[in-house]
Amino acid sequence: MTTTQSTEVPTKAALVPATSPALRIQSAVIKYGFIFVTVTLFAYFALSEPSFRDSATLLDTLRYVSVAAILGLGVTLTMAVGGIDMSVGAVAGLGVTVAAKTMVSYNQVGLVAILAVIAAGALAGLLNALLIVVLKIPDMLATLGTMFVIQGTKLVLVDGQSITPGMTQADGSTAPGKFTEGFLRIDRGTVLGVPVSVLIFGALTVVAWVFLARTRWGRVLYAIGANPEASRLAGIRVGAYRALAYVLSGVLASIGGLILASRIGQGDVSAGTSQLLEAVAVALVGTSVLGRGRPNVWGTALGAVLIGIITTGLTIKGLPYYTQDVVEGAVLILALIFSFTLSKRRTA
């Protein structure tokens, strides 16, 4: 009886014991590294700048990032199905314009403006769904096209000018309305000292987490993102679920627009332009949290908090505003290294 000797070359992972200190350290860095970075930066700014420790400053930080965080939640939903929504900033800006047009130009109450803005966001999401699901246009290209269409539509609606109370309109009349006090409380009001926009951010984060992590719909979205063909063969209506993700992203972006409109108190035609990059950044940063390597709600929320800590800390230290983009970009690159490079090495 003869025996054959295996010629299989052991992999790199097989040569290193699963319990080796090197692998344990690498696993800990991947899983907790970004949380450690967030805590370290917070401690640094808190110890070096006494004003950073003030509760009002911390709440203002959360208030500042609430719009980008809510938009980031929408991006997270679309990333879960394997796509990405690049139109969220434009939809938020459209929400600002629609809110101002409704209250200032048409003299309607805040509730009507809120409903109009959310409806506009849902319609934008449906447009994305039509392009992506029905016409089979790649997600990024479709939503980039939608972004430009919405930005142009926003300018057409207001003849290219910002809407302010008492302004002279295109027909020569004076705008009859104004932003109502109730509407302005969306961002400027507080409940037990906490800004309403922060409470909205927190509530939407919890709702989005429950939806993605604790319901069948959320699990299906992740399944579609992992393998759409296998999901289709399993009887899942892939197109319908992908459409749902983009409609929800549009609605979340419109809620961010409501907060932004309440914050600036006018229909600024440039509103929302800078929100896209921050929203995408916090969603991508979120993929690195706890080493999951996939979009997740709590990761997105932590990414937003991290961006807020950096922005507030650098502002208090007196650094020029343009340096913040460099630092935020470096943080995003670091997050991508955690999410893709290190995690792939761990599983190699």
Side-chain angles (χ1 to χ4, degrees), residues 15-275:
L15 295 174
V16 182
T19 57
S20 69
L23 280 182
R24 287 201 300 269
I25 292 174
Q26 182 174 318
S27 178
V29 168
I30 294 171
K31 190 171 185 180
Y32 302 111
F34 229 78
I35 295 177
F36 174 77
V37 170
T38 303
V39 173
T40 300
L41 282 174
F42 179 84
Y44 166 71
F45 287 126
L47 293 174
S48 62
E49 298 291 341
S51 60
F52 186 85
R53 300 192 296 266
D54 187 83
S55 60
T57 300
L58 299 179
L59 289 174
D60 280 342
T61 298
L62 293 177
R63 176 174 169 266
Y64 166 77
V65 301
S66 60
V67 174
I70 292 171
L71 269 59
L73 293 177
V75 176
T76 300
L77 290 174
T78 59
M79 288 174 62
V81 295
I84 190 167
D85 188 353
M86 303 296 289
S87 67
V88 289
V91 175
L94 177 64
V96 174
T97 297
V98 170
K101 191 77 173 176
T102 303
M103 287 182 289
V104 176
S105 298
Y106 298 134
N107 199 22
Q108 298 295 314
V109 297
L111 178 59
V112 174
I114 291 172
L115 295 176
V117 169
I118 293 177
L123 286 174
L126 282 173
L127 175 59
N128 282 329
L130 173 65
L131 296 174
I132 295 166
V133 176
V134 179
L135 300 181
K136 309 297 183 184
I137 300 175
D139 302 63
M140 181 174 290
L141 297 178
T143 54
L144 278 174
T146 304
M147 177 187 75
F148 286 113
V149 169
I150 292 174
Q151 287 177 340
T153 301
K154 178 177 65 174
L155 293 173
V156 170
L157 287 174
V158 296
D159 298 317
Q161 60 180 338
S162 297
I163 301 177
T164 57
M167 66 177 289
T168 300
Q169 303 184 106
D171 60 0
S173 64
T174 301
K178 64 177 183 178
F179 280 77
T180 64
E181 291 298 323
F183 185 89
L184 292 175
R185 281 184 56 81
I186 294 175
D187 183 66
R188 304 179 187 183
T190 61
V191 176
L192 300 178
V194 180
V196 173
S197 54
V198 175
L199 296 175
I200 294 173
F201 162 39
L204 289 176
T205 299
V206 173
V207 170
W209 171 73
V210 171
F211 175 76
L212 267 183
R214 291 292 184 268
T215 68
R216 177 182 179 276
W217 298 287
R219 290 191 290 270
V220 169
L221 293 183
Y222 277 128
I224 292 172
N227 194 327
E229 186 59 31
S231 300
R232 186 176 293 106
L233 294 175
I236 295 173
R237 299 174 61 189
V238 173
Y241 279 97
R242 295 190 75 198
L244 173 64
Y246 281 94
V247 171
L248 291 177
S249 179
V251 170
L252 286 168
S254 69
I255 295 173
L258 287 171
I259 295 174
L260 199 56
S262 173
R263 180 172 302 173
I264 61 181
Q266 64 175 359
D268 189 344
V269 293
S270 65
T273 304
S274 64
Q275 299 298 325

